[in-house]
Amino acid sequence: MAPDSTPARIDLDPRWTVGDVDPRLFGSFVEHYGRCVYTGIYEPEHPTADAEGFRGDTAELVRELGVPILRYPGGNFVSSYQWEDGIGPRDKRPVRLDGNWRALEDNQVGTDEFLSWTKRVGSEAMMAVNLGNRGTQAAMDLVEYCNHPSGSYWSDLRRANGYKDPHDVRVWCLGNEMDGLHQVGHKTAYEYGRLAAETAKAMRMIDPGLELVACGSLHPRVATAFSWESEVLEHSYEFIDYLAIHAYYEQRGEDRDSFLAAAIDMDRFIESIVATLDFAKARGRHKKQVNISFDEWNVWYNDAGEVAGQDFRKAPRQSENMYNVADAVVVGNLLISLLKHADRVKMGCLAQLVNAIAPIHTEPGGAAWRLPTFHPFALTSAHGRGTVLNTLVTSPRYETRWFGPDTPQLDAVAVRAEDGESVTVFAVNRSRESALPVEVDLRGFPGLTRVSQVVLADEDPEATNTAERPDRVVPRSVSGARVDGGTLSALLPPLSWNMLTVRAA
Amino acid sequence: MAPDSTPARIDLDPRWTVGDVDPRLFGSFVEHYGRCVYTGIYEPEHPTADAEGFRGDTAELVRELGVPILRYPGGNFVSSYQWEDGIGPRDKRPVRLDGNWRALEDNQVGTDEFLSWTKRVGSEAMMAVNLGNRGTQAAMDLVEYCNHPSGSYWSDLRRANGYKDPHDVRVWCLGNEMDGLHQVGHKTAYEYGRLAAETAKAMRMIDPGLELVACGSLHPRVATAFSWESEVLEHSYEFIDYLAIHAYYEQRGEDRDSFLAAAIDMDRFIESIVATLDFAKARGRHKKQVNISFDEWNVWYNDAGEVAGQDFRKAPRQSENMYNVADAVVVGNLLISLLKHADRVKMGCLAQLVNAIAPIHTEPGGAAWRLPTFHPFALTSAHGRGTVLNTLVTSPRYETRWFGPDTPQLDAVAVRAEDGESVTVFAVNRSRESALPVEVDLRGFPGLTRVSQVVLADEDPEATNTAERPDRVVPRSVSGARVDGGTLSALLPPLSWNMLTVRAA
Amino acid sequence: MAPDSTPARIDLDPRWTVGDVDPRLFGSFVEHYGRCVYTGIYEPEHPTADAEGFRGDTAELVRELGVPILRYPGGNFVSSYQWEDGIGPRDKRPVRLDGNWRALEDNQVGTDEFLSWTKRVGSEAMMAVNLGNRGTQAAMDLVEYCNHPSGSYWSDLRRANGYKDPHDVRVWCLGNEMDGLHQVGHKTAYEYGRLAAETAKAMRMIDPGLELVACGSLHPRVATAFSWESEVLEHSYEFIDYLAIHAYYEQRGEDRDSFLAAAIDMDRFIESIVATLDFAKARGRHKKQVNISFDEWNVWYNDAGEVAGQDFRKAPRQSENMYNVADAVVVGNLLISLLKHADRVKMGCLAQLVNAIAPIHTEPGGAAWRLPTFHPFALTSAHGRGTVLNTLVTSPRYETRWFGPDTPQLDAVAVRAEDGESVTVFAVNRSRESALPVEVDLRGFPGLTRVSQVVLADEDPEATNTAERPDRVVPRSVSGARVDGGTLSALLPPLSWNMLTVRAA
């Protein structure tokens, strides 16, 4: 398990680029799940609540996190959601059983409230339509409600509900995880491919400018992965812009070494999906290129929080993962994986935003704070914009159960800022024991000689943040990194996520 | 056609059992068909009507009949039924055309009234959802309406409609006879298997404790029998508990000999379905066992009563079979077949309960009475509870057109009472000419030496019961049977159904 | 391109007939498309408007056109139409986005208004149900609304809306062009065949006397033509009466010669569909014969009128083809093709009736007038009733790009009037340069010696009719035709449509 003695090295060349980062790569996800919405982003009784009932403290952290796009309202939730339940006077909205999550949904937050809030926190929305137990007509109606200016039944109803301007939602998911047996209205690939195609076509008749996302596999290791996509694309390729894929990772038992290398699995998943997409393009003689929306990803311990029973309570404490430093390093590494594939992964959603599987935690009536995973996300979103450079990593290897004897200890990606004035290298050292000295060849960037290093690491990899100690785990600026003769030298602490930025002196 | 001279003999061994009788084997069926509901169980103007408008005389006969479970509301009716039509204030309920039966449905009896009445007559309900022209969402809503305590839209609506407590319906049919071309929204096996699976899953999200019944073949001799089941089970096995099968028998022309042996056909049907189920279990590597709900069976003369035309009247006199003694003997024999397979047939529904294909007949504003088929059913339901013994029947043979030269004259099954204090043998003599002396080996039951015999037979096998002579055909206690040296000897009259009970002296 | 010198000749024999003309062959089509309905047939503000808001000038021209059956309400429109939007008090009807045509639909004309108007202009209706984004239930409800006398929810609602008598619509289309990728809710042949069969069955449960039309191919040259029909018929043959096919023709670039012979393509399409139908009949061991409803056909220049954008205005000027003389000759020839196949083509609909792809043009608040295509249609409808004679045409040939070197210059069909007192020959001369002398062998009709000739032709084949000169192009009676020794001799001018009628002297 000890790393070998290969020196760690990163080679870059300004001419050799992967592609530009779409800011939507740093999206997140608000599902009516657990306490993500109720007592998460929305809590009218909270001291910080705004006029619409949304928590000000949460909103501030959301802005700080940097999430240009937010997926809504599910997830599994959407597959039995009737969107009309969530509009109009709040006291007339029906209380529903959300059978999927076994929770009570009183619809106090719906489409209008969410879309309005999304703009206030500086994000755009990625809306999902219900292709579980509903179909084309409800999707057409929802597009009309959200996007048509006025003069028709649904658009005038939106105006009557107090939203004069169209919400103008560009990105729409054609259902959620329809490959999953657990999903209400699960479909075979044939059934889904057909429904997605017909619904996409009909939605575009109402608004031709939509960007549409079809469901790919809910996890890289489901038995139908890739064959699902192939058949779905046979029916829908021409009608969609993105294929959605999802992945969650967790440490199994004591095997932290494997867990720390989880991004390797994400790399492989993305690359296999790219192959599947391009095969479908060739087979169907299509001209357009379909890209990837990795619209659910995170570390997830499914057994966290309470398990909802048959009592159908509102906003149970489901999946409230109190992430630690090791989880944060993995989240940082998964972001590196997304950036490395920025030419094809155009959107991503950290799932989810608040409380449930989330980087932000809140207490009802109480505080909101950043969990450790917040930090690598916020820093990557802030500094990972620009052009991804093809990043050649040479690394010592270690052995892991999931990935075998040649698991690289180092993973990294470099992004050149849009103004060309800086290059930022995101890097993780997966070793639990050893610090890793790294050299980065910067000869292609002669003017960039001033370096800064920010590190997320801790003596205690289990450390987390709590209401009492909300800043127990935070990134630290460290000194010691330097650029000399076109080479950046830095030391990555054990089990660490690092951001190295080089600028002109 | 004359029976041969083989002595008739029944061998029993207390250690050799088939299985315990589930009381639900003696269920019946209330469909919105003909006059089963309106002027059958429900007639507010009737002198015996209770406060809810249900006939007291009918209810009394239903209790006497002994039907622990009642299927509702169809049958073919359910495949275009909108259950929401039948709830809430009666004067607001819409009048619908029941296209399937060509009748007018004014929805004065709906889910609440039926379920409430079912409890008053001491039965539980087996509810069917519409998988003809509706789907998953309507089924989820109905489960919520019936079974969720309170606090959600549909459960609160039930409470507002006057039904504070959940109806708590356990058993649900996933549509009705979806293999039938005649059915509104008929499905292919693939289509139905998929829809049944998805609907089952979604219904259990609302109430995980449901017992679910998928549609098998509507008749043993439809061309798709067994292949339908095989494909349906491929998609739905894991989601269901029972497979429903149906069979009706009638005398064709003058061929009473074949008709009297109809239970042989039922035996074979059940056994072929068991094979189909267990094959599907093996193929799918399933662990659970799916059993049979024989939820429509009876003697049925389709041309009885009036044929509904295009005038769409309410409660036409459809399928009002005025059963005779021969029919009653066959019904008794079909019950023997069900009991013989009590290990796998867990539910059964005599179709139907009142007026239409039914053991109880009523006249509007007039009497309610028992038809001859009432009697073997009521006696079997009352005395056929306990453990079915494997019953080895040796019988003389006769020739029939349907079953060939070796049709057994005698059919029988023995049930040991739950308290072990008695054994009851149900037996039919199918010969129209000859009485049949029978010996039953009781050496395994040394204490049971006192015997009683009840017989349903008549000089005139065409005899029936009418308003004027409602007790023209009734069971009679006969003497002559005796137990001697461990052998019970009895004489079964020609064309007779018999119940022989042995008890401790 | 110049015709060869073969003499043109037509042979007839009174014993050799094709079949009787069903008057429904001369139907037309009213779709909510462009200005067909609004400012076409309906314009309450117009000086000639009747009490119901329908234009009197348009109605008069419709009566003159002679259209015994009118298809309604679409066309593509129907595939997202919710028919309930168009009934009841007009001020309560919702305004919808018609995504297919990108137009605003305020539902001021709906089922009741159209069906009532249809009767006032002397036609019956052919109603289409929405099998795009709706299904069986909505179709059952619409049949009940239209055709059930009273006493049920939907029939009583019709009465409450002011229509006491049932509309009694006999002919119903099971969706529209469901083979088309452009269609909302496009289906595969399997999906559509199944849905059509189930919906047909359910509609007949409400009214067993319906005549039902399934969708065949939307154009003879779609890739799925014939294989679509074959698979659809596999599922639906037994449930339908007609198969619908559509074809539109236009002059491509300067190639008028090919365009003038377009009827050859219609002939081949019809004959291939007849083969497909009869194969399906044989394969399925069916006894009934399914015939053809050619319920959309015309000359159509798709780029005429404005192209609707995203502004969703009401009644845009879409497909306002201002037909010229050449178009009128082709329309006349297409009618000859339909008549030649009168044994199997039982219904036809000139698409459409007013303004959009139509023989009648109106201006809002202004005049209504006949376009050149009006004339051959009106004359064929008026004089093409009776029995079609098998018409043997011998013709000089010319070369065309579409049909090759042996394109016949002459096409013709003869119809014997029901009273047997006259025979009418419809004939076109496709040559742009040469008049064509024609001889018709009338020896089998010895009494018919008096002949009249009506011609549609013009020095300027581009001539059309405008508001200022509404009668610039009209048919003319010409002299010169004569019957001599059992032979009718006539001269067909270049690029002309002709009607030659012979009567007893």
Side-chain angles (χ1 to χ4, degrees), chain A residues 137 153 194 198 201 205, chain C residues 95 102 133 181 183 191:
Chain A
Q137 179 73 56
Y153 178 80
R194 290 281 303 120
E198 294 305 321
K201 198 176 66 186
M205 285 183 180
Chain C
V95 178
R102 300 213 185 291
N133 66 11
L181 281 173
Q183 200 76 196
E191 293 167 347

Side-chain angles (χ1 to χ4, degrees), chain C residues 112-247:
Chain C
D112 288 318
E113 291 84 16
F114 176 77
L115 293 176
S116 172
W117 176 80
T118 299
K119 282 181 184 157
R120 295 204 300 280
V121 296
S123 300
E124 72 169 310
M126 174 195 293
M127 288 284 284
V129 299
N130 174 355
L131 295 188
N133 66 11
R134 304 192 76 184
T136 302
Q137 180 72 56
M140 295 172 83
D141 292 346
L142 180 55
V143 171
E144 181 184 330
Y145 185 85
C146 289
N147 287 3
H148 196 67
S150 67
S152 68
Y153 178 81
W154 289 111
S155 60
D156 287 346
L157 186 57
R158 183 198 67 236
R159 292 165 67 94
N161 287 339
Y163 297 85
K164 186 156 174 279
D165 294 325
H167 296 301
D168 198 31
V169 179
R170 291 299 99 207
V171 184
W172 294 77
C173 299
L174 299 161
N176 171 73
E177 293 187 357
M178 302 310 300
D179 60 325
L181 281 173
H182 66 286
Q183 200 76 196
V184 173
H186 156 71
K187 305 278 184 292
T188 65
Y190 170 83
E191 293 167 347
Y192 174 68
R194 291 281 302 121
L195 181 61
E198 293 306 320
T199 303
K201 198 176 66 185
M203 290 168 72
R204 281 220 181 80
M205 285 183 181
I206 303 302
D207 183 345
L210 305 183
E211 300 174 51
L212 298 178
V213 187
C215 299
S217 291
L218 67 94
H219 200 276
R221 277 178 303 282
V222 290
T224 52
F226 317 116
S227 63
W228 164 271
E229 279 84 352
S230 176
E231 190 170 354
V232 166
L233 292 166
E234 195 172 343
H235 301 287
S236 66
Y237 192 98
E238 200 57 41
F239 300 99
I240 66 169
D241 304 294
Y242 303 95
L243 187 75
I245 52 175
H246 297 173

Side-chain angles (χ1 to χ4, degrees), chain B residues 72-234:
Chain B
Y72 179 84
N76 298 344
F77 175 78
V78 82
S79 291
S80 59
Y81 181 54
Q82 304 183 45
W83 69 267
E84 302 90 336
D85 290 348
I87 59 170
R90 276 177 165 143
D91 57 347
K92 304 280 191 224
R93 298 185 189 176
V95 178
R96 297 291 185 191
L97 302 183
D98 170 14
N100 181 76
W101 295 124
R102 299 212 185 291
L104 206 67
E105 174 56 57
D106 65 7
N107 288 297
Q108 293 304 293
V109 171
T111 297
D112 288 317
E113 291 84 14
F114 177 76
L115 293 176
S116 172
W117 175 80
T118 300
K119 283 182 181 156
R120 295 205 300 281
V121 297
S123 300
E124 71 167 310
M126 175 196 294
M127 288 285 284
V129 299
N130 174 357
L131 295 188
N133 65 11
R134 302 192 78 184
T136 302
Q137 180 73 57
M140 294 172 84
D141 293 345
L142 180 55
V143 171
E144 180 184 329
Y145 185 85
C146 288
N147 286 5
H148 195 67
S150 67
S152 67
Y153 178 81
W154 289 111
S155 60
D156 287 346
L157 186 58
R158 184 199 68 236
R159 292 165 67 93
N161 287 339
Y163 296 86
K164 185 157 173 281
D165 294 326
H167 296 303
D168 198 30
V169 179
R170 291 299 100 208
V171 184
W172 294 76
C173 299
L174 299 161
N176 172 72
E177 294 185 357
M178 300 311 301
D179 60 324
L181 280 174
H182 65 285
Q183 200 76 197
V184 173
H186 155 71
K187 305 279 184 294
T188 65
Y190 170 83
E191 293 167 347
Y192 175 68
R194 291 279 304 121
L195 180 61
E198 293 305 320
T199 303
K201 198 176 67 186
M203 290 168 73
R204 281 220 180 83
M205 285 183 181
I206 304 301
D207 183 346
L210 305 181
E211 300 174 52
L212 298 178
V213 188
C215 298
S217 291
L218 66 94
H219 200 278
R221 278 179 302 284
V222 289
T224 52
F226 316 117
S227 64
W228 165 271
E229 279 84 353
S230 176
E231 190 170 354
V232 166
L233 292 167
E234 195 172 342

Side-chain angles (χ1 to χ4, degrees), chain A residues 445-460:
Chain A
F445 307 84
L448 307 183
T449 57
R450 186 161 54 96
V451 63
S452 64
Q453 180 175 8
V454 174
V455 171
L456 192 86
D458 202 281
E459 291 298 302
D460 175 11

Side-chain angles (χ1 to χ4, degrees), chain C residues 456-471:
Chain C
L456 192 84
D458 202 279
E459 292 297 302
D460 175 12
E462 311 273 347
T464 187
N465 295 331
T466 60
E468 292 70 34
R469 295 190 62 188
D471 292 326

